[in-house]
Amino acid sequence: MTETTGSTATPESGNPEGADGAAETTPADGLSRRERRRANRAAGGDGAKKPGKRAKKGLFARAAIFYRQIIAELRKVVWPSRNELIQYTTVVVTFVIVMMMVVYGVDYGFSKLSLWIFG
């Protein structure tokens, strides 16, 4: 049973790791990210809409991406073997039966107690 752990973030889902919207400075040019972005927009770059991954997609394209992502996530799931499934099911059913008996016993006890008190 090997498990693969990792980020399921996609470029469509938001900021990449480590990108937190705050203005960060780099020692190379001394400008913050916000200042570089403003300068780039003023120069005519990055301000116009670009086609590509970030472009608005149609309804069917978004639905297709959604289902592809579902299938990709289901492939990462570690499914139990038949023996493990039987064992887990047995444990759950046994626990539920025991809890039903406890609740029944408490209910029966309270009903007899109230009958004894109130006649």
Side-chain angles (χ1 to χ4, degrees):
M1 288 176 51
T2 59
E3 293 186 35
T4 305
T5 57
S7 175
T8 59
T10 60
E12 296 87 18
S13 67
N15 294 337
E17 288 185 14
D20 61 346
E24 299 174 359
T25 58
T26 58
D29 56 5
L31 295 176
S32 69
R33 181 187 308 167
R34 185 176 294 152
E35 292 167 347
R36 283 192 309 255
R37 185 178 295 153
R38 286 181 184 158
N40 195 6
R41 282 189 187 149
D46 198 38
K49 290 191 174 188
K50 316 183 251 189
K53 287 188 176 184
R54 303 254 182 209
K56 180 124 174 120
K57 295 184 171 101
L59 177 66
F60 292 109
R62 285 183 287 153
I65 289 173
F66 177 70
Y67 286 113
R68 270 186 263 148
Q69 289 174 348
I70 289 175
I71 291 169
E73 289 298 320
L74 285 175
R75 285 187 179 140
K76 294 178 187 177
V77 173
V78 179
W79 297 99
S81 67
R82 185 172 180 86
N83 290 335
E84 290 172 336
L85 186 64
I86 290 170
Q87 182 180 0
Y88 298 157
T89 304
T90 304
V91 168
V92 169
V93 169
T94 304
F95 178 76
V96 168
I97 289 173
V98 167
M99 291 308 296
M100 284 173 53
M101 290 188 315
V102 168
V103 169
Y104 172 76
V106 170
D107 182 52
Y108 184 76
F110 278 132
S111 67
K112 289 298 178 183
L113 181 66
S114 65
L115 190 64
W116 179 71
I117 291 175
F118 299 111

